[in-house]
Amino acid sequence: MKHLLVAVLAASALAPAAMAGEINVSYSPDFAEKLSKEYGEREGTYLSERVKKDLETELARGGVDVARIDVTIVDATPSRPTFKQGSDTPGLDMHRSVSLGGMKLKAVAYDAAGNAGEAFEYKWYESDITQAGITTWHDARRASGRFASRFAKALD
């Protein structure tokens, strides 16, 4: 067992740590307005950080190395009400209200010379209310993970 652990550690040390040098996440104008008026600005920060983390993980897993990635969150829908929605709508049940969530994203990768690759677009929304997420952005997180995985494979 010790030999297997040593072999795994040695292999991981020799494997290149590939990832994007810079990952920028922005919002489409329509989604930025939704954040401001309906969901709350803090929700955008949460989603941006999640997308960035998912991309970093998948790029490292796939050994993909790019200089920069620009991602746009085109749209996102929560599975449960956000804090702002709960405070703006007093009769809304924050624990029992459920909806079909998900997210739509666009991304472009750039090489070290600044040349843009092909634009990549992905969207996923839950289609079965019985499978809707248990947290506010559960379905959007699933969409982010799927997006990151597919984008990293497309770059490979």
Side-chain angles (χ1 to χ4, degrees):
M1 188 67 171
K2 268 187 175 176
H3 298 291
L4 179 60
L5 180 60
V6 170
V8 168
L9 291 174
S12 65
L14 295 175
M19 62 183 289
E22 179 182 351
I23 299 174
N24 303 307
V25 181
S26 62
Y27 317 120
S28 70
D30 289 342
F31 185 62
E33 186 175 333
K34 266 188 186 177
L35 285 172
S36 176
K37 292 183 177 179
E38 188 177 340
Y39 299 148
E41 297 294 335
R42 70 182 244 169
E43 306 301 335
T45 301
Y46 171 80
L47 290 172
S48 297
E49 289 172 1
R50 186 62 196 205
V51 168
K52 188 174 181 176
K53 179 180 178 239
D54 288 342
L55 276 171
E56 289 170 348
T57 300
E58 290 301 326
L59 292 171
R61 181 178 292 151
V64 179
D65 192 14
V66 294
R68 187 180 97 219
I69 297 175
D70 290 339
V71 180
T72 303
I73 298 175
V74 178
D75 188 40
T77 305
S79 307
R80 302 276 179 165
T82 65
F83 285 112
K84 181 168 177 15
Q85 288 174 317
S87 65
D88 290 349
T89 312
L92 184 62
D93 187 333
M94 294 291 291
H95 302 288
R96 287 186 261 185
S97 295
V98 181
S99 64
L100 299 174
M103 190 161 40
K104 180 178 180 180
L105 304 116
K106 288 184 184 179
V108 177
Y110 297 86
D111 64 16
N115 300 315
E118 191 173 321
F120 183 84
E121 191 171 325
Y122 182 78
K123 74 175 180 177
W124 183 85
Y125 291 86
E126 181 58 67
S127 59
D128 182 356
I129 196 72
T130 63
Q131 299 299 313
I134 58 172
T135 61
T136 303
W137 293 106
H138 184 272
D139 295 333
R141 286 179 53 183
R142 289 176 65 193
S144 174
R146 291 174 179 196
F147 157 79
S149 175
R150 285 170 173 80
F151 187 55
K153 286 177 185 171
L155 292 174
D156 194 15

